[in-house]
Amino acid sequence: MIVLLSGFGSAPPQDTYQVDRVYDGDTVRLTNGEKVRYIGIDTPEFGKEFEYFGKEAAQANRRLVSGKRVRLEYDQELRDKYGRLLAYVYVDDIFVNAWLVENGYAQIMTIPPNVKYKDLFLKLRKEAREEGRGMWGKD
């Protein structure tokens, strides 16, 4: 199952941005220099620290968005304490945040007030765990 844009709330803004760099599974930099942190999810660390499934999560995110134009949808808070833009990210018709959860590359990390897709993420995580996708797979 691939989570598509339709059926998950209002359409994201039509402004698009190109991804310049993928830092890990849930953070990217746009060509305008903005760092974007995906809302509602948390992927294992890959960079200075290495956590189980971090490399796989970063590679999955890279395959989805690297060098591509993405649309950003915002929630209640626009930036985190580090100054990163907080967004739900879409590439073509794929809701990237949800896709990463659905395929076992991301955990859920909802921080109020940015909880717009919390129920969707919970449902997708449950399915990923039950079906042993990604980090939930059996070794």
Side-chain angles (χ1 to χ4, degrees), residues 11 13 19 39 46 50 52 56 72 92 101 112 117 127 131:
V19 174
I39 299 174
F46 180 72
F50 293 93
Y52 173 72
E56 292 84 351
L72 303 182
D92 299 322
V101 173
Y117 294 110
E127 292 171 3
E131 295 180 21

Side-chain angles (χ1 to χ4, degrees), residues 48-131:
K48 292 180 183 176
E49 298 178 31
F50 293 93
E51 294 177 357
Y52 173 72
F53 225 72
K55 181 177 181 182
E56 292 84 351
Q59 288 173 339
N61 191 32
R62 192 170 287 113
R63 282 191 307 271
L64 285 170
V65 303
S66 186
K68 296 183 181 172
R69 295 199 67 78
V70 296
R71 291 185 309 274
L72 303 182
E73 178 184 3
Y74 308 105
D75 209 328
Q76 300 298 309
E77 288 183 346
L78 191 59
R79 296 192 181 273
D80 66 8
K81 65 183 180 181
Y82 305 107
R84 298 177 296 191
L85 200 54
L86 299 171
Y88 301 106
V89 178
Y90 299 82
V91 64
D92 299 322
D93 289 335
I94 298 171
F95 181 9
V96 176
N97 310 49
W99 189 94
L100 291 166
V101 173
E102 175 183 42
N103 289 284
Y105 293 106
Q107 287 276 15
I108 298 169
M109 185 176 77
T110 53
I111 301 173
N114 290 349
V115 296
K116 185 175 189 175
Y117 294 110
K118 176 183 163 189
D119 292 339
L120 171 63
F121 294 158
L122 287 168
K123 175 184 172 288
L124 294 174
R125 180 186 63 189
K126 182 178 186 279
E127 292 171 3
R129 288 179 82 163
E130 288 173 354
E131 295 180 21

